[in-house]
Amino acid sequence: MEGNVEQHGSETLRTLPGDDVRQIMWRLTDRYDLQMLVQSARAVARGPVARLVAEGGRNSHEWTEQKAQLLRAFDESGITAANMDPAQGGFIEGPKNFTLALVAFELSWVDAGAATCSLAGNLALAPIHERGTPEQRDAYMRRAVPPQPGEDRQVWRGAFSLTEPLPYVGVETSLLGGKVRIVEWEEGKEPILQVEKRGRFITNMGFANFVTAAVDSADDRIKGSCIVILEQTDPGLFDRGTPARKLVHQLSSTRDPVFSLRVPAGRIVGGYTVKDGVIVPRYSHSDIIEAVFRRTRVTVGLMTSAKLLSAVEPVIRYQRGRFRGGETIAPGSPRYELGLQQKEDALHRLVDVWATGEAGASLGFAAARLFDELDPLERRKDEAFAAQGIGNGTAQLRPLRRAQKDTLEFLAQAALPEAQRDGVRYEALQADPLVQFSALDALANVLCPAVKLWNTGHGATMMREAVSLMGGYGIMEDCPGFLGQKWMDAQLEATYEGPEAVQRRQLTVTMTSELFLAQFEGWIAEMREVAARRPGTGACALATAMRLWLWSLDHLQKACDAEGGKLFHGNRQGVTFPLADALCWLLASRYQIMDLLELERKGPENPVLAEGLPGLLAFFTDLCHVQAGRAAGEVGRICAELVYGYNRHPAWDGGAGCGPDASDPLAGFGADASASTMPVGPKAGPCVCFDGLEPFACLRLKLDGCLTGVRLAKDRAATALTKVMIPEALDYPV
Ligand SMILES: Cc1cc2nc3c(=O)[nH]c(=O)nc-3n(C[C@H](O)[C@H](O)[C@H](O)COP(=O)(O)OP(=O)(O)OC[C@H]3O[C@@H](n4cnc5c(N)ncnc54)[C@H](O)[C@@H]3O)c2cc1C
């Protein structure tokens, strides 16, 4: 190990956080099965995957024999079967969102292409898993399980084919060029379908045995769109197409396939009914992709966070060793011991990279766990509706709207101290699956796009920072930690399964849901309470930034621009998209703080951690503070631009100006900027720019004040980076 744990009055970080720490923060201390799986995935990532990258396996678009070996490594390590239920040949009971997120995190720590290769198989199965008939689910999930000892069969690998050549499906998933029609329908027999589908950028296409493909009806006897399962041996054309000339994720296979196949109608995912001689698929392609992506996108977001956290150790090692060996650099001298870590900027930037990785991981894993909670509730809700003769999709909208009132009541009760609750009513609402589903669903609808958007989008930007800290080495193929490749790869994570615009569009709708906002309101109170108890966490700045965002949302929903145009509107992406971005900063910071609190609560129970825990907590507290400060700054900037930016200044129309710089723009404000609640209006004449916006100006002022100490936290975190012990060498490639 190298480093120096010399103490300066207060405890500091001793070693990089290991599994004991992560298991507490990410809530898998009680999941021995997942802990084992993490170890297996790590062995694959830092073994065969890392070796393949180091040997130049990424230098070809082709699906090579060496890359194919990875599939076998996934099979042998349990990664492939982790997606299946025990009844299908898997080994993990219950929902698998968190499981798959952990696997993706481990693989992406080394190479996200390898992670994608594994995940794309799950993505192909996801339509069948989420919306397939029980028979479809059993058949395809079982085939995708690697053979057990004594079994002699091939593992089925899948691809998911939605995106089509231009000008068809991309961001706009309704522009389907793929078509399905009936070619044979004998009396009393199953109809035979002809499927024509071309794919663009389809992952796993170099070796997939089956494909779940989105198609639209080209036949009056088929209603709407659907997803069909295509098999390699179906009669017709199953052309894998040419390899995509990717610059990223080269350990996965991506091609532009062409299919022209005859398949039985039983391959329509979720099945169908026949009404008046027309095949009516149970689910449209959009019903299914919504159910699929809302889960799988969380996993993609975590891939980028894994890279940021993986960058910390190589960067520290590079910084420390930068000048060693130079003739005039004596061992023991600051230049020898600290190298680039003598420079504040190099340390501060690494603190930012680390804090971003922490926040993204906390947000992503929280979302994955939430989906694990949501899955059984969703099934219970569907069963309850089915028992009442209520089908899926739009049929459920009305009863769900009715449940909203109860859910809001539940959330209001939950926000009260226990003693003030109506115990009987609260318990009744807590036991109502519809209420529980509605509350979690509203949250999931926000968290999923937020993870995908913030972790990958901002994550890619921060990955560039990590690369820059390695100087020229950062953009070399043999950069320790493969940071250059990870930077490029992050851009793909921001793009596939829906680029940032898709996530922002979704957030525009879901972040205004009453059920989400009720929970958000509760979080502000929660952060105020944390701020009082644990002031160094940045919770105070975060609570104020949350209030500012909420005020801005409310204001922008009602306000018009200088021309009288409505501001908060689906087509006004210049307003709605930045507000969505701002929310993501808040969410990431909140979940980071929640994980810190969990570590603080549970850490002392773990004897392995006991010794280093105070230093670790101090460091993580500072990271939370740094991140909360950055989030507050972003939110303040975005909201200020939106709230003021669509007004005309009175001076442009001959009115009063702002006055000289020295004048007090807030003179006469009656608001109490230190209050935790919404400030009241002005008493007398502040700057004309604030007309009607005084509460915002007060909140903004308060927010700036809440940044007190944030740079001290950064300085402390930076110092900790100079002292933390790291292993002599990176543990991959080995
Ligand atoms: C390596 C790789 C692997 C992939 N794997 C798969 C796979 O396995 N299966 C599959 O089906 N697809 C796959 N894809 C496709 C991927 O999901 C799409 O590329 C992605 O969804 C974006 O679609 P597009 O490229 O057509 O972008 P476009 O639709 O052309 O959008 C381009 C950009 O225009 C802007 N834009 C577009 N529409 C809007 C809007 N409504 N509002 C605001 N801005 C907008 C956004 O900035 C957007 O990023 C893969 C792609 C790559 C590169």
Side-chain angles (χ1 to χ4, degrees):
M1 299 286 262
E2 88 143 55
N4 173 10
V5 273
E6 161 199 357
Q7 304 291 312
H8 289 283
S10 60
E11 290 282 348
T12 187
L13 184 68
R14 295 180 178 211
T15 55
L16 298 176
D19 283 331
D20 290 304
V21 175
R22 295 314 189 183
Q23 284 164 14
I24 296 173
M25 293 177 75
W26 300 336
R27 321 294 204 275
L28 61 149
T29 35
D30 301 334
R31 294 290 305 269
Y32 189 63
D33 52 348
L34 296 187
Q35 293 172 19
M36 297 313 295
L37 182 63
V38 164
Q39 294 304 326
S40 302
R42 187 173 301 164
V44 172
R46 302 185 194 193
V49 171
R51 281 196 296 273
L52 188 52
V53 177
E55 287 160 9
R58 292 180 54 121
N59 296 340
S60 153
H61 310 302
E62 298 295 336
W63 184 245
T64 61
E65 182 45 39
Q66 289 83 347
K67 294 181 192 177
Q69 293 292 341
L70 292 185
L71 297 175
R72 284 184 271 288
F74 297 156
D75 294 348
E76 285 159 14
S77 61
I79 291 175
T80 311
N83 186 31
M84 302 1 159
D85 290 333
Q88 296 156 342
F91 54 95
I92 292 175
E93 280 289 357
K96 314 277 187 296
N97 304 290
F98 188 40
T99 305
L100 299 181
L102 287 164
V103 169
F105 186 89
E106 280 304 326
L107 292 175
S108 313
W109 188 274
V110 176
D111 187 89
T116 293
C117 188
S118 144
L119 288 178
N122 300 332
L123 182 63
L125 285 165
I128 303 171
H129 183 263
E130 296 307 323
R131 294 292 181 260
T133 62
E135 297 74 29
Q136 288 170 341
R137 216 174 298 154
D138 269 355
Y140 288 93
M141 300 295 280
R142 276 175 204 274
R143 287 174 201 164
V145 174
Q148 311 293 305
E151 267 188 309
D152 180 22
R153 62 174 169 81
Q154 194 195 1
V155 193
W156 278 43
R157 320 263 183 205
F160 172 81
S161 181
L162 171 64
T163 311
E164 298 176 340
L166 301 179
Y168 296 108
V169 175
V171 165
E172 299 298 340
T173 52
S174 56
L175 278 176
L176 274 173
K179 296 289 182 243
V180 57
R181 60 195 161 81
I182 299 168
V183 281
E184 227 179 272
W185 195 348
E186 286 180 37
E187 186 70 33
K189 285 198 183 162
E190 185 165 44
I192 303 294
L193 311 175
Q194 176 69 32
V195 176
E196 306 291 340
K197 170 85 183 179
R198 297 171 77 94
R200 175 169 56 115
F201 307 149
I202 305 304
T203 308
N204 278 8
M205 225 28 256
F207 51 84
N209 313 99
F210 72 96
V211 174
T212 37
V215 283
D216 206 356
S217 168
D219 195 318
D220 293 342
R221 292 168 299 162
I222 304 176
K223 189 168 178 228
S225 66
C226 60
I227 290 195
V228 281
I229 307 168
L230 308 175
E231 294 182 7
Q232 188 182 358
T233 51
D234 287 328
L237 180 74
F238 187 98
D239 180 351
R240 298 182 182 281
T242 47
R245 294 164 64 85
K246 283 184 294 185
L247 294 169
V248 292
H249 281 216
Q250 285 96 334
L251 296 192
S252 68
S253 154
T254 312
R255 288 172 170 252
D256 298 347
V258 182
F259 309 107
S260 175
L261 297 166
R262 282 163 72 96
V263 301
R267 297 276 192 78
I268 294 176
V269 173
Y272 61 93
T273 51
V274 177
K275 270 192 201 138
D276 305 325
V278 174
I279 292 180
V280 183
R282 185 151 179 236
Y283 299 104
S284 70
H285 86 292
S286 40
D287 288 339
I288 297 179
I289 58 178
E290 194 194 312
V292 167
F293 281 151
R294 75 188 299 228
R295 290 169 171 83
T296 54
R297 282 172 174 159
V298 171
T299 319
V300 177
L302 277 162
M303 289 166 53
T304 317
S305 306
K307 294 169 190 192
L308 289 171
L309 292 177
S310 81
V312 171
E313 186 187 325
V315 171
I316 293 178
R317 186 174 294 105
Y318 180 76
Q319 290 180 334
R320 289 201 187 148
R322 176 65 179 82
F323 304 114
R324 288 180 193 168
E327 276 171 30
T328 55
I329 317 292
S333 68
R335 206 159 159 76
Y336 183 94
E337 296 302 331
L338 291 169
L340 288 167
Q341 292 205 324
Q342 283 183 299
K343 305 296 171 197
E344 185 170 89
D345 184 66
L347 291 168
H348 277 192
R349 285 179 194 277
L350 184 56
V351 167
D352 285 334
V353 168
W354 193 338
T356 308
E358 289 296 333
S362 293
L363 175 63
F365 283 123
R369 293 192 305 269
L370 180 83
F371 276 102
D372 275 3
E373 258 188 89
L374 187 67
D375 280 0
L377 281 171
E378 188 169 17
R379 293 204 196 289
R380 280 176 68 193
K381 177 230 11 160
D382 287 341
E383 283 160 18
F385 280 151
Q388 299 166 45
I390 299 168
N392 289 294
T394 46
Q396 297 187 353
L397 286 180
R398 197 178 288 193
L400 280 173
R401 252 198 305 273
R402 276 199 298 270
Q404 179 156 333
K405 202 167 137 276
D406 285 345
T407 312
L408 285 170
E409 188 186 346
F410 168 74
L411 293 170
Q413 288 278 333
L416 294 174
E418 217 173 312
Q420 290 173 32
R421 284 183 199 148
D422 174 346
V424 178
R425 180 71 181 142
Y426 179 69
E427 271 176 34
L429 292 169
Q430 202 172 28
D432 183 339
L434 218 51
V435 166
Q436 295 308 314
F437 169 79
S438 301
L440 285 192
D441 191 51
L443 205 50
N445 285 337
V446 170
L447 288 195
C448 171
V451 173
K452 176 71 165 60
L453 172 59
W454 192 83
N455 287 28
T456 64
H458 180 57
T461 304
M462 293 309 286
M463 202 56 225
R464 196 200 70 80
E465 284 286 304
V467 168
S468 75
L469 293 176
M470 301 288 275
Y473 217 175
I475 35 178
M476 293 300 124
E477 200 179 282
D478 56 346
C479 171
F482 311 133
L483 300 191
Q485 287 100 326
K486 283 175 181 166
W487 168 36
M488 283 287 278
D489 283 357
Q491 181 53 38
L492 175 58
E493 286 132 43
T495 301
Y496 72 177
E497 294 203 25
E500 288 146 290
V502 174
Q503 315 311 321
R504 291 183 174 120
R505 203 171 50 179
Q506 195 181 335
L507 277 166
T508 299
V509 177
T510 59
M511 71 189 181
T512 54
S513 122
E514 235 185 308
L515 289 179
F516 168 69
L517 291 176
Q519 296 178 71
F520 188 82
E521 185 75 53
W523 293 348
I524 299 179
E526 173 195 52
M527 280 300 130
R528 287 267 167 246
E529 186 272 320
V530 174
R533 196 161 42 84
R534 289 285 279 107
T537 54
C540 177
L542 193 61
T544 307
M546 285 170 147
R547 176 63 67 203
L548 187 87
W549 181 84
L550 204 53
W551 192 95
S552 306
L553 174 69
D554 183 61
H555 170 78
L556 292 164
Q557 280 179 311
K558 294 174 194 148
C560 293
D561 65 16
E563 309 296 322
K566 205 167 154 25
L567 280 178
F568 197 94
H569 189 277
N571 289 334
R572 205 91 196 239
Q573 295 177 341
V575 177
T576 56
F577 280 18
L579 265 183
D581 287 336
L583 174 63
C584 293
W585 282 95
L586 297 171
L587 295 173
S589 188
R590 173 187 184 259
Y591 282 99
Q592 186 184 5
I593 292 175
M594 298 312 280
D595 280 355
L596 167 73
L597 298 179
E598 181 75 4
L599 185 62
E600 200 170 58
R601 237 184 335 263
K602 304 266 176 67
E605 293 167 16
N606 184 335
V608 179
L609 286 184
E611 212 184 318
L613 192 61
L616 181 70
L617 288 174
F619 176 72
F620 272 1
T621 300
D622 286 333
L623 278 195
C624 282
H625 202 165
V626 167
Q627 191 59 31
R630 178 76 205 278
E634 286 294 321
V635 171
R637 177 186 63 76
I638 292 171
C639 291
E641 244 186 75
L642 295 177
V643 166
Y644 295 113
Y646 286 99
N647 298 337
R648 280 184 69 77
H649 197 288
W652 303 339
D653 304 316
C658 289
D661 281 352
S663 69
D664 176 2
L666 293 176
F669 260 37
D672 173 6
S674 69
S676 61
T677 51
M678 189 83 80
V680 295
K683 274 181 185 156
C687 174
V688 286
C689 305
F690 300 141
D691 271 357
L693 301 175
E694 293 82 359
F696 181 85
C698 280
L699 272 172
R700 190 84 215 272
L701 188 67
K702 178 173 161 66
L703 185 65
D704 287 353
C706 288
L707 298 179
T708 306
V710 72
R711 283 279 158 171
L712 296 174
K714 195 171 219 172
D715 279 349
R716 278 192 303 272
T719 305
L721 291 184
T722 64
K723 300 187 187 326
V724 64
M725 285 193 285
I726 59 166
E728 289 295 345
L730 200 60
D731 66 354
Y732 65 93
V734 286

